[in-house]
Amino acid sequence: MAKLYFYYGAMGSSKSANALMAEYNYRERGQKVLLAKTNIDSRDGQNIIRSRIGLQKECLLLTDVCAKSDAELSTYDAIIVDEIQFARPEEIDFLARIVDQLNVPVLCYGLRTDFQLHFFPGSLRLMEIADEIREVKTVCWCGKKAICNARYNERGIVRAGQQIMLGANDSYIALCRKHFIEGKLSADDPGNPLPDFGQVSGNSD
């Protein structure tokens, strides 16, 4: 039976490279694959998926996928979608319907949370309904597993702003939770601590 997969990881964990390698593996075995990404991600061109290690391939936009008929979608052996965190919840539900009604596996790759450790809407919906959820791991500068996507500028970690701001290594860094909370981009960084994290106030009665 086909499944809806969510492969999530912090910035720099090679999610796009994994998506492109999965697409290649399907094609190498003679399978027909539809490769797509969400519309918001236009950093590398409107119809290009590019990884940090230099792999790239043309793709469709997720809105184009959602506009296709069931008859056409059922001809594919797999559908792979990158930057899925930017998808709308109803688009995630559409992908789930492809899995359940057309028996076509859908592999989604993206971030789980934003620079404030809050879910992206698309990622939250996948966490709710995906058949399989797998982590694509990477490490913090300290060597511990990185799970946080820190936004930064020349003054250090940024704690406020719009949820979506496209960027790469010049704007984001993957950190472990400890160093994200401390706001430390390196061992020598004095830090920009996250205010009140872990503090509990009020009466629990």
Side-chain angles (χ1 to χ4, degrees):
M1 294 294 291
K3 292 182 180 181
L4 176 62
Y5 297 88
F6 181 28
Y7 297 90
Y8 74 88
M11 297 289 292
S13 60
S14 302
K15 297 180 299 299
S16 294
N18 275 266
L20 292 170
M21 288 188 290
E23 190 270 348
Y24 175 81
N25 287 336
Y26 273 104
R27 283 194 298 107
E28 190 178 36
R29 287 159 178 77
Q31 306 265 289
K32 183 180 179 183
V33 190
L34 192 159
L35 183 65
K37 71 175 183 179
T38 47
N39 296 50
I40 291 177
D41 181 28
S42 57
R43 289 168 296 174
D44 299 313
Q46 195 69 11
N47 292 91
I48 293 289
I49 293 176
R50 178 179 292 123
S51 74
R52 284 177 171 80
I53 61 173
L55 299 175
Q56 71 174 56
K57 199 171 193 305
E58 290 187 6
C59 67
L60 296 179
L61 297 178
L62 183 55
T63 50
D64 299 328
V65 177
C66 294
K68 290 182 178 294
S69 67
D70 286 357
E72 183 175 359
L73 290 170
S74 65
T75 66
Y76 290 95
D77 296 296
I79 294 173
I80 299 172
V81 187
D82 196 25
E83 301 293 351
I84 198 64
Q85 71 272 7
F86 298 137
R88 292 177 287 122
E90 55 266 34
E91 291 174 325
I92 301 299
D93 291 348
F94 181 87
L95 296 175
R97 189 182 68 80
I98 292 174
V99 173
D100 296 337
Q101 296 187 13
L102 306 182
N103 199 34
V104 177
V106 177
L107 291 68
C108 300
Y109 294 80
L111 302 173
R112 180 175 58 173
T113 57
D114 63 18
F115 76 109
Q116 294 179 316
L117 300 190
H118 299 311
F119 276 118
F120 286 96
S123 302
L124 175 58
R125 189 60 179 150
L126 275 167
M127 295 296 288
E128 292 170 337
I129 69 170
D131 297 299
E132 291 199 20
I133 300 168
R134 302 178 183 178
E135 184 178 11
V136 183
K137 297 179 181 179
T138 190
V139 295
C140 176
W141 57 262
C142 69
K144 292 175 61 177
K145 186 173 80 167
I147 62 170
C148 305
N149 304 300
R151 184 183 296 176
Y152 71 95
N153 57 27
E154 65 279 359
R155 295 184 296 276
I157 286 186
V158 177
R159 298 295 191 187
Q162 296 289 327
Q163 182 179 52
I164 296 176
M165 187 191 85
L166 298 180
N169 293 342
D170 59 337
S171 302
Y172 292 94
I173 185 173
L175 298 175
C176 66
R177 184 175 56 247
K178 171 182 169 63
H179 289 127
F180 176 84
I181 293 167
E182 294 177 351
K184 299 188 68 171
L185 297 171
S186 67
D188 299 326
D189 189 344
N192 173 23
L194 186 62
D196 302 324
F197 185 90
Q199 300 299 314
V200 179
S201 60
N203 193 323
S204 60
D205 295 336

